[in-house]
Amino acid sequence: MNYKTDTNGYYGNFGGAYIPEMLFPNIEELKSVYYEMMHDPSFVKELDCLLNDFVGRPSPLYFSQKLSTKHKAKIFLKREDLNHTGAHKINNTLGQILLARRLGKTRIIAETGAGQHGVATATACALMDMTCVVYMGQTDIERQLPNVERMQLLGAKVVPVTSGSQTLKDATNEAIRDWINNADDTHYIIGSVVGPHPYPEIVAYFQSVISKEIKTQLNEKLGVASPDYVIACVGGGSNAAGAFYHFLDDTAVKLVAVEASGHGLQSGKSAATTALGRPGVLHGSKTILMQTEDGQVVEPHSVSAGLDYPGIGPLHAHLYETGRAQFLYVTDTEALDAGLALTRNEGIIPALESAHALAALDQIKFNSTDIVVLSLSGRGDKDMITYLDYFKKHKHEKH
Amino acid sequence: MRSINRITSLFERKKENILSIYFTAGFPELSSTENIIAALQKSGADMLEIGIPFSDPIADGPVIQQSNKKAIENGMTLQLLFEQLKTIRSHVNIPIILMGYLNPVYQMGIENFLQKCTDIGIDGVIIPDLPAEIYKTQYQQAFHKHNIFNVFLITPKTKPERIKYLDGLSEGFLYLVSSSGTTGKDTIFHEEEYQRINDMKLNNPLLIGFGIHDRASYENACKHARGAIVGSAFIKALEKSSSPENISSFIHSLTTPILCN
């Protein structure tokens, strides 16, 4: 089985570039410059330098004694939460801003859900002196306010999106429209492994540093080449793509993708795309989509703004269809409980996105010798309001 | 024997000032579609583009987005649109094009979709997010079998070799997007860009769309192409009223020549 894109930009049956003709020149230009740049040693060197000295990579691989005891396996957390700006998103925005510079673009646009990609983009733009416009759904602006303020402080313009469900899907629509209207001077930094080819491939490549480091770190710590499990949450799926990347062809490694089931799979308020969706076309690629019988994309729900998306990246649709990855589903409440447990037991406040991956540990029966790596994709500072509300309501219970 | 596509007949019969009007099916009311079609034909529109509403219309500006949203809220679906159009050919003879995004068509299945188009008498389809490469390999054969035209978009920024490629695939006409942007934005005419495209001597006639909103922009478009497509401005007129009188006065506001100004 092949987990790389074919010449037309498909992962198996999913992917491609379903774009209006207005964007054709941009996509062609992006493809040619990206493939050229990837093989340019000076680019690789500059990006590595930024990842080390600006982001603080490699991010630690932390052995969690308490999670290991609880789940009876060797559980490691890949600490992407310790990156500059607080999540894995910066890995991609730095790569793409170098790409934008080589494309000769001076204006950057981005969509954001939880605001982590927006903050990472605003940060990269501040570093490179580029104009930055971030589209964010009105609902997300309200629930991730600290990130909105960070973006503004960094010099970005945050544009509220009031169409549709006012979340990530709608912010992405608006960013694509902006790109159509400003195709000459603007590069669109997509934050996840979604969008038209070559975006899913570009973002997965820039995030692949996560699994590259996991390999090295496991070798150093345990003298093994690979883990038994890699577990990551999936909204669009960029941290999962990065954490899986170097293990895709190693079928001894079990890949676990965790989606947000919101209030529950059958509640009508869910973002569990693989459980509820079927193949369709959105945001430039063919993938699995939550939609009505008539092909209208339905509004997803998750407590986590970063997972509140009705599709998944085409790579993940392919991993789902081929069975290469196992997909698990975690509710809002399960994620909040797992997030609070990590906070109290380990002193790490995880992002609500990453808390979904943590909660999925309860659904897996491990062997005691299993080496498990869980991608802790981001920190939970942005989610304080949600955590505190939940904590106040439930402190008489288990915490 | 296969009959001649109405789009071909229109361009053979009428050499200039072709006016094509876009509107969204199921807007402003679920049952508006048939009345709007009848009023447009009566008022002198040469061709119709009926929009299939979609939840995520990425190539459209705010006016058409809103009409899509309203139409979906009204309960419009592609299936229902086909039912509403079932007997349309008993009283409407101008060419009808369906325009919409790929996903609803993909969900219906292309074969099923084209068969329904044929049964009703739809002449062409425009799907902005179905790129030429995918059309050619996966869809063209089915379109040819059903004699349904698929119309491609080009922009003033499209490179000459790509324009030629799209001209080779497009049937009926080529849709020239006035300025590279989403629908409903003000048009910026660059004479030299249109001249460059006209000088290429393409197989297909050109219609100019995006941003054509009044008599001046319509007349200007007609100078550079066989005619023009009006969408957002018509949707705005429908927001006020979808009565036959209002539709008629909108069409006349575009087409009645200015005798003295």
Side-chain angles (χ1 to χ4, degrees), chain B residues 38-50:
Chain B
L40 281 171
Q41 171 167 275
K42 192 157 173 254
S43 312
D46 297 303
M47 183 158 69
L48 303 178
E49 292 169 30
I50 304 176

Side-chain angles (χ1 to χ4, degrees), chain A residues 276-291:
Chain A
L276 303 170
R278 61 178 196 281
V281 177
L282 180 72
H283 295 153
S285 66
K286 186 180 282 184
T287 187
I288 299 174
L289 271 186
M290 288 167 51
Q291 55 187 312

Side-chain angles (χ1 to χ4, degrees), chain A residues 10 16-25 162-164 169-170 172-174 176-178 180-184 278-284 286 289 291-298, chain B residues 53-61 65 69 72 76-79 102-104 106-107 128-134 138-139 153-155 157-158 162 166 177 179-182 185 210:
Chain A
Y10 284 83
Y18 294 81
I19 44 157
E21 189 60 32
M22 291 81 98
L23 290 177
F24 183 81
T162 54
S163 57
K169 168 183 83 99
D170 313 287
T172 306
N173 288 341
E174 217 47 60
I176 294 173
R177 288 183 191 114
D178 180 310
I180 292 173
N181 285 319
N182 300 286
D184 283 345
R278 61 178 196 281
V281 177
L282 180 72
H283 295 153
K286 186 180 282 184
L289 271 186
Q291 55 187 312
T292 65
E293 197 188 336
D294 188 44
Q296 308 298 342
V297 181
V298 303
Chain B
F54 183 49
S55 51
D56 298 84
I58 52 165
D60 285 299
Q65 282 174 47
K69 187 168 180 247
I72 293 168
M76 183 47 79
T77 64
L78 183 51
Q79 190 73 43
L102 182 58
N103 199 48
Y106 178 74
Q107 298 308 323
D129 60 344
L130 176 59
E133 291 69 22
I134 296 171
Q138 298 173 32
Y139 291 80
L153 274 62
I154 60 171
T155 84
K157 303 246 169 59
T158 311
R162 179 133 182 108
L166 294 170
V177 175
S179 61
S180 207
T182 49
K185 290 193 67 148
F210 283 38

Side-chain angles (χ1 to χ4, degrees), chain A residues 278-326:
Chain A
R278 61 178 196 281
V281 177
L282 180 72
H283 295 153
S285 66
K286 186 180 282 184
T287 187
I288 299 174
L289 271 186
M290 288 167 51
Q291 55 187 312
T292 65
E293 197 188 336
D294 188 44
Q296 308 298 342
V297 181
V298 303
E299 312 293 358
H301 165 82
S302 168
V303 69
S304 144
L307 304 183
D308 205 350
Y309 186 72
I312 48 170
L315 166 66
H316 295 299
H318 181 53
L319 296 179
Y320 177 75
E321 195 182 62
T322 57
R324 175 65 189 95
Q326 179 186 10

Side-chain angles (χ1 to χ4, degrees), chain A residues 1 17 26 66 126 130 153 181 200 208-209 212 257 282 290 292 324 334 336 341:
Chain A
M1 192 58 71
N26 288 51
K66 288 179 182 168
M130 291 207 198
L153 194 63
N181 285 319
S208 68
V209 65
K212 192 175 149 197
L282 180 72
M290 288 167 51
T292 65
R324 175 65 189 95
E334 289 163 350
L336 281 158

